[in-house]
Amino acid sequence: MAHVIVVLRLSYKSCVGMESPVQKVEVENDQLLVDRARLGDRHAFDLLVLKYQSRLLAVSTRLVSNQSDALDVLQDTFVKAFRSLHTFRGESAFYTWLYRIAVNTAKNHLASKSKEPKAIPVDDDGAADLSLLHDLSTPDEEA
């Protein structure tokens, strides 16, 4: 039984921190595209957008629960990533970096949405229901 545990530990140690050949190629391809985009090659960044937009849209949609807002978050994510390419150090996968930008952008979007004033409903004649705006009681009446 002890022999089996040793074998499992060796197997575990040999797998930790190692990338599959496919993952290694993906990381190298992404880094090449990032390097080219940093040098001003917009087509290289377009390829990164095409590669990751579906995955990031799914993430954004889960976070903001509204397709239109998710598309806004996605666009903001790629704009921020493009402007911050010089800060990508390559210590993680490019997708991981994009994912963090997307999550933070979605959180900021939700925070700004919660601060927006609520809309006042308008009837078919274009008149607003002003009953929502005034409180019938005054501070003197509450005391």
Side-chain angles (χ1 to χ4, degrees):
M1 188 67 155
H3 180 54
V4 171
I5 292 172
V6 171
V7 170
L8 290 175
R9 285 185 179 169
L10 288 174
S11 175
Y12 175 76
K13 285 181 179 179
S14 65
C15 293
V16 174
M18 294 184 66
E19 299 175 287
S20 74
V22 172
Q23 288 172 324
K24 187 174 182 179
V25 168
E26 288 292 315
V27 167
E28 290 171 359
N29 286 344
D30 285 357
Q31 189 60 53
L32 177 66
L33 291 171
V34 168
D35 292 342
R36 288 178 50 193
R38 283 179 176 157
L39 295 173
D41 183 349
R42 295 212 180 213
H43 181 68
F45 190 77
D46 289 346
L47 291 173
L48 290 167
V49 169
L50 289 171
K51 181 175 181 179
Y52 293 117
Q53 67 185 353
S54 295
R55 287 172 69 185
L56 289 175
L57 180 59
V59 169
S60 300
T61 302
R62 280 195 312 268
L63 294 171
V64 298
S65 303
N66 174 319
Q67 186 71 14
S68 176
D69 289 345
L71 288 169
D72 289 343
V73 167
L74 181 65
Q75 181 175 348
D76 290 346
T77 297
F78 282 115
V79 168
K80 289 176 182 179
F82 182 77
R83 290 180 178 162
S84 301
L85 270 178
H86 65 280
T87 67
F88 177 65
R89 297 185 305 260
E91 294 171 2
S92 63
F94 185 71
Y95 176 75
T96 303
W97 185 71
L98 281 176
Y99 177 88
R100 282 306 327 156
I101 294 171
V103 169
N104 291 337
T105 302
K107 285 181 178 181
N108 292 341
H109 180 80
L110 290 172
S112 68
K113 280 283 202 183
S114 69
K115 293 177 184 176
E116 287 181 2
K118 302 294 182 217
I120 299 172
V122 177
D123 63 18
D124 293 337
D125 297 330
D129 182 7
L130 299 179
S131 65
L132 299 174
L133 297 179
H134 65 288
D135 187 3
L136 298 176
S137 62
T138 63
D140 294 334
E141 291 173 357
E142 291 178 2

